[in-house]
Amino acid sequence: MHILIIGAGGMIGRKLAATLGRSGSLGGDTITRMTLVDVTPPPVPADVFVPAEALAADISESGAAEALAARRADVIFHLAAIVSGEAERNFDLGYKVNLDGTRLLLEAIRREGSRQAYVPRFVFSSSIAVYGSPFPDPIPDDYVLAPLTSYGVQKAISELLLADYSRRGFIDGVGIRLPTIVIRPGAPNAAASGFFSGILREPLAGQRAVLPVEETVKHWLASPRSAIKFLIHAATLDTAALGVRRTLTMPGVAATVADQIAALRRAAGPEAAELIDRRRDEVIEGIVAGWPKSFTPERATQLGFVAETTVDELIEVYLAEDAPGASG
Amino acid sequence: MHILIIGAGGMIGRKLAATLGRSGSLGGDTITRMTLVDVTPPPVPADVFVPAEALAADISESGAAEALAARRADVIFHLAAIVSGEAERNFDLGYKVNLDGTRLLLEAIRREGSRQAYVPRFVFSSSIAVYGSPFPDPIPDDYVLAPLTSYGVQKAISELLLADYSRRGFIDGVGIRLPTIVIRPGAPNAAASGFFSGILREPLAGQRAVLPVEETVKHWLASPRSAIKFLIHAATLDTAALGVRRTLTMPGVAATVADQIAALRRAAGPEAAELIDRRRDEVIEGIVAGWPKSFTPERATQLGFVAETTVDELIEVYLAEDAPGASG
């Protein structure tokens, strides 16, 4: 079995490549080969027994998608994207990569399949950013996608293309709407969602962190480990049950900031919570106000997708797998 | 005020051009000029006092959208589309016209506006084909778009683009999801929905008509007159009330085939209903089974969109406006 990961240089892509490379199999099939692609050559994970090739390619550039489709991978993970903030700042770049890139990839697969039968499993990482306020809390599986960002629009359009290309038999597509990933490892970043990880990660390391919103803010969270499990389950589940609705909202933890801080106290003591500086930021508050708070992800749950259920578990996963010096 | 109608050669486009040309104004503003565009030069309506120019242009061909945007019309009606059946048979053509054509048009307007400020009202004709089963009956305004055809996918994607280009301030967009139009004037056509008009139109003219489905089939209907009123209202309403959700499901008549036949009897006597031949067609039954039955179009109703409420009215409109020899 040949696995192609597009966007293999990102946090999730690297972890997925390492997990698959170490396990050596996917859904009971032996992985014989991995192709890891990103705009700059992604790292080949250490300590893996599967031959892995790292390639630099931009799927939005002419010919790149065709070259990848010609490799005829059995499973394609499409994780590549311009992130939300950048897609909002750079309208053309966001559409070029997040919409045209995805469409070029689907078209290249379709054309490869018209040359010689080829219908790969195609796992697409979408986002809960396809939802925009006003919405109910929790949001049900059949709620309208009304994104408030160009990134969300590009993901929603990609979901529609995924469904149509699957219905037509050109791919065997599964889309998964990832919750906000907490705790992201590494340094603080400038994303508006960064504080959801920062208010746990920094205090756990004895560092100060800034909380820019009120403690009542609620959001939908899952660990990096769950994200990898979602992707792997999406690559192996029986798609007959999906019908034309090929993208699923993933399960997660609906937690307020207060829930997060309470879990931090339980994990690292009251002094850890004292490291959080409350500095409200109206811009971030405005952005976060439009984000989903929670979901009833019934379809995904029925299909066997599982996530954490408490912030305590999110912290445990971080300390076990993703914190500096963890076993990984 | 300059009005541009793209897709001015179709049934709705011709009727819209004639209505605007005769009225000479839109939302209180005098129409000084109309540009009527279709892939072949559309007819210029007779008996109108507004200067109208007919142009042949295909918005999916290079440069065509730019040339139209450069005319800087105040209101653009975008009605052009490859119809459902053809978009299903010809995958590439459907995406080229219904997706790329719309996107090229939006991009051309954006670029025209970056040269010199330009934010036209952009009225887009979408379709209830953006909905696919399973769904509740009636379908609420916030139900997920899950099309069962490539045409429906292309319309749903266009709605997302319309919303994003409006949110960004590049256009002032309004999308309207048209019900199935009944009674369509003219000869029977091969569309799967054709019988909804045919079982009324042909018997009203003393001709036989085929009913390919059971009388319990329910569907969402509005007259050609209502379609024109929807478009004109969409061109003139205050879009501040829309938020980012720029496309609205239009009101209509939820009628079963039995309701239609009962209204036909009332309008033309029991002998008219005897002209309907029941010949079930499993292909058409299968297609129609995936179509919406009814809606609760609350947003559109609150914004002042009005349609017929009975099949009797649909028949009255046909006899008054659209039947052979009617005043038009």
Side-chain angles (χ1 to χ4, degrees), chain A residues 27-73:
Chain A
D29 291 317
T30 301
I31 302 172
T32 52
R33 182 181 167 201
M34 291 200 297
T35 303
L36 309 177
V37 176
D38 214 312
V39 286
T40 58
V44 172
D47 306 324
V48 300
F49 304 101
V50 176
E53 182 183 4
L55 287 180
D58 178 343
I59 52 168
S60 69
E61 297 293 342
S62 174
E66 287 77 1
L68 293 177
R71 294 182 165 239
R72 302 178 71 86

Side-chain angles (χ1 to χ4, degrees), chain B residues 180-195:
Chain B
T180 290
I181 301 301
V182 167
I183 301 172
R184 286 183 71 93
N189 67 19
S193 61
F195 72 87

Side-chain angles (χ1 to χ4, degrees), chain A residues 92-108:
Chain A
D92 289 310
L93 183 66
Y95 274 92
K96 180 166 185 270
V97 173
N98 296 348
L99 172 49
D100 294 327
T102 299
R103 191 165 166 213
L104 287 167
L105 194 54
L106 293 172
E107 266 301 286

Side-chain angles (χ1 to χ4, degrees), chain B residues 40 47 76 139 296:
Chain B
T40 58
D47 306 325
I76 298 172
I139 298 175
T296 43

Side-chain angles (χ1 to χ4, degrees), chain B residues 16-68:
Chain B
L16 177 64
T19 303
L20 292 175
R22 273 184 218 133
S23 116
S25 71
L26 179 65
D29 291 317
T30 301
I31 302 172
T32 52
R33 182 179 168 201
M34 290 201 296
T35 303
L36 308 178
V37 176
D38 215 311
V39 286
T40 58
V44 172
D47 306 325
V48 300
F49 304 101
V50 176
E53 183 182 2
L55 287 180
D58 178 344
I59 52 168
S60 69
E61 296 294 341
S62 173
E66 287 78 1
L68 294 177

Side-chain angles (χ1 to χ4, degrees), chain B residues 276-306:
Chain B
I276 297 172
D277 298 317
R278 284 158 179 77
R279 283 210 296 273
R280 287 175 62 180
D281 179 322
E282 285 185 9
V283 174
I284 292 181
E285 285 187 319
I287 294 171
V288 172
W291 288 355
K293 301 179 196 311
S294 72
F295 294 87
T296 43
E298 287 178 13
R299 294 185 71 215
T301 303
Q302 281 162 12
L303 287 160
F305 289 93
V306 179

Side-chain angles (χ1 to χ4, degrees), chain B residues 42-279:
Chain B
V44 172
D47 306 325
V48 300
F49 304 101
V50 176
E53 183 182 2
L55 287 180
D58 178 344
I59 52 168
S60 69
E61 296 294 341
S62 173
E66 287 78 1
L68 294 177
R71 294 183 164 238
R72 302 177 70 87
D74 302 286
V75 177
I76 298 172
F77 292 97
H78 174 30
L79 316 176
I82 297 294
V83 299
S84 182
E86 194 174 355
E88 201 63 16
R89 279 188 296 277
N90 191 333
F91 187 84
D92 289 309
L93 182 65
Y95 273 92
K96 179 167 185 267
V97 173
N98 296 348
L99 172 50
D100 294 327
T102 299
R103 191 165 167 214
L104 287 167
L105 194 53
L106 294 171
E107 266 300 284
I109 294 166
R110 174 181 164 231
R111 291 186 190 281
E112 179 65 27
S114 70
R115 205 175 58 74
Q116 187 188 338
Y118 176 51
V119 184
R121 176 63 55 94
F122 186 98
V123 178
F124 171 64
S125 64
S126 190
S127 163
I128 56 174
V130 296
Y131 294 102
S133 61
F135 37 50
D137 178 29
I139 298 175
D141 278 333
D142 56 8
Y143 197 71
V144 67
L145 310 193
L148 296 176
T149 59
S150 293
Y151 173 84
V153 167
Q154 292 146 13
K155 289 291 188 186
I157 291 174
S158 298
E159 289 188 13
L160 285 160
L161 293 172
L162 184 89
D164 205 36
Y165 277 70
S166 295
R167 186 182 63 83
R168 292 286 193 131
F170 304 140
I171 60 167
D172 184 15
V174 182
I176 59 173
R177 293 185 198 115
L178 293 174
T180 290
I181 301 301
V182 167
I183 301 172
R184 286 183 71 93
N189 67 19
S193 61
F195 72 87
F196 287 113
S197 284
I199 60 169
L200 300 176
R201 183 185 58 226
E202 269 57 88
L204 286 168
Q207 309 288 320
R208 302 203 73 83
V210 171
L211 172 64
V213 303
E214 293 199 78
E215 289 197 18
T216 52
V217 164
K218 189 166 76 173
H219 196 43
W220 192 242
L221 314 173
S223 71
R225 180 200 281 172
S226 285
I228 303 309
K229 287 167 73 179
F230 297 155
L231 289 165
I232 290 174
H233 190 56
T236 54
L237 64 80
D238 180 356
T239 52
L242 290 179
V244 299
R245 301 188 188 178
R246 288 275 175 161
T247 301
L248 304 159
T249 298
M250 291 294 103
V253 181
T256 63
V257 168
D259 294 334
Q260 288 195 269
I261 295 173
L264 175 65
R265 281 204 187 89
R266 287 191 290 274
E271 63 279 15
E274 298 301 318
L275 293 168
I276 297 172
D277 298 317
R278 284 158 179 77
R279 283 210 296 273

